[in-house]
Amino acid sequence: MRDEPPRPPLPSPLPDGDEGDPLSDELLTPDEARALVRASSGRAPTGLRNRALVAVMYRSGLRPGEALALLPADVDLGAATVDVPARKGGSRRVTGIDATTRGLIAAWLERRRERGIAHEAPLFCTLAGEPLKAAYVRELLPRLARRAGIRKRVHPLALRYANAAELAEEGMPAATIDRHLGIAPVGGARRYRRPVADVDVAAAVAAREWRL
């Protein structure tokens, strides 16, 4: 898989944010989300990178822009946490990384070291250590979906929506999901919700299990 230049991205009506109605789109099932991760090579350097990137967006609920902004120092595999950069005037937050996703990140980090990519380069970078662009993700996901035989439209936020839906189905409290996703409660919800600590959010997300 090449890093440069990606083909022109497929048009997507949703920007890199939470605008739009996720209920109006077909949600990915857990099997479909796993298939997207598996659609990248488990041997090639860019495949290892893309597996980790897609898994982080899916299992840790990161927006594409947040995932691409990560530095290696933002991920603590021992503590099973990811320090998510602030965006659009917001604040940084901490959430969790489950065991399978940590394994995918570790495999990519090892390949980065083998190739001599500088530690200061973004976590998900080109093989030359340059930042990946949002257009790359917009092109990558539909291509992986076609490879995985997924007929649904897979836009950049599809994995984040799938993550939120699964957490709700598993019974995670809404306040915890919002804190995990970096969504501020609105209206009266602010008044009646108890604060949720990052450490509790990270522990809950990291404890979730899945297998490729």
Side-chain angles (χ1 to χ4, degrees):
M1 186 177 298
R2 298 176 300 174
D3 285 320
E4 69 283 349
R7 290 174 291 175
L10 297 178
S12 171
L14 289 172
D16 183 16
D18 284 326
E19 295 81 355
D21 180 3
L23 298 180
S24 68
D25 295 295
E26 294 182 272
L27 282 172
L28 293 172
T29 67
D31 285 344
E32 289 168 338
R34 284 194 294 268
L36 277 179
V37 179
R38 290 195 302 267
S40 292
S41 170
R43 295 182 179 180
T46 54
L48 292 173
R49 179 199 64 204
N50 290 343
R51 280 190 170 208
L53 171 60
V54 173
V56 164
M57 291 191 292
Y58 168 45
R59 297 295 295 181
S60 293
L62 271 62
R63 301 173 178 91
E66 292 171 339
L68 295 181
L70 291 175
L71 298 174
D74 293 324
V75 174
D76 188 331
L77 297 182
T81 59
V82 55
D83 189 1
V84 186
R87 65 185 298 277
K88 295 184 178 178
S91 58
R92 298 178 74 89
R93 70 183 189 279
V94 177
T95 192
I97 317 172
D98 61 62
T100 298
T101 303
R102 294 198 301 273
L104 295 172
I105 295 172
W108 164 234
L109 286 172
E110 178 60 26
R111 188 59 59 91
R112 277 176 54 117
R113 285 191 289 269
E114 291 174 357
R115 298 188 66 90
I117 297 175
H119 187 71
E120 294 75 19
L123 176 61
F124 301 113
C125 59
T126 71
L127 299 185
E130 298 297 324
L132 289 177
K133 298 185 181 300
Y136 180 81
V137 177
R138 290 197 297 270
E139 184 272 338
L140 173 68
L141 293 178
R143 175 154 48 88
L144 294 180
R146 291 192 294 270
R147 189 178 299 170
I150 299 171
R151 300 179 65 87
K152 296 175 181 177
R153 184 178 71 92
V154 181
H155 56 78
L157 290 175
L159 294 159
R160 179 173 162 87
Y161 292 161
N163 174 262
E166 288 178 30
L167 293 177
E169 290 165 0
E170 292 167 13
M172 182 175 284
T176 304
I177 296 175
D178 285 354
R179 182 74 174 179
H180 157 64
L181 296 175
I183 300 173
V186 296
R190 295 182 180 179
R191 187 176 306 168
Y192 302 113
R193 283 190 180 176
R194 296 182 184 278
V196 181
D198 281 341
V199 63
D200 295 328
V201 173
V205 174
R208 299 176 70 226
E209 296 181 358
W210 71 300
R211 294 183 183 277
L212 282 179

